[in-house]
Amino acid sequence: MRLRFLGSTSEAGACPSLYETDRGTIVVQGLHLTDAAALADLRHVLDGESAVEVPRELLVDIARRVLG
């Protein structure tokens, strides 16, 4: 799998960041969600899965640029 950087709201371009894969999927880079109450709200978390918090403005910005 190969990744193409889409964008970030971080000043240093670190995380959270979004990437597009050559498989047509999106990869999220960010800090693991650690808030116990928020983790308890997640549904059907499989082994190997984790949750990452992403600012809404990052998703909106990427959606506008990628989807037109």
Side-chain angles (χ1 to χ4, degrees), residues 17-50:
S17 297
L18 297 180
Y19 299 83
E20 180 178 34
T21 74
D22 58 1
R23 298 178 184 181
T25 59
I26 301 296
V27 171
V28 179
Q29 172 191 351
L31 298 174
H32 288 276
L33 183 64
T34 58
D35 181 277
L39 289 170
D41 290 334
L42 294 174
R43 298 179 184 182
H44 313 295
V45 180
L46 302 175
D47 287 341
E49 290 184 335
S50 62

Side-chain angles (χ1 to χ4, degrees), residues 5-18:
F5 178 76
L6 294 176
S8 175
T9 54
S10 169
E11 302 238 348
C15 61
S17 297
L18 297 180

Side-chain angles (χ1 to χ4, degrees), residues 9 16-18 28-31 51-60:
T9 54
S17 297
L18 297 180
V28 179
Q29 172 191 351
L31 298 174
V52 176
E53 187 174 10
V54 178
R56 181 184 303 267
E57 63 268 14
L58 174 58
L59 296 175
V60 170

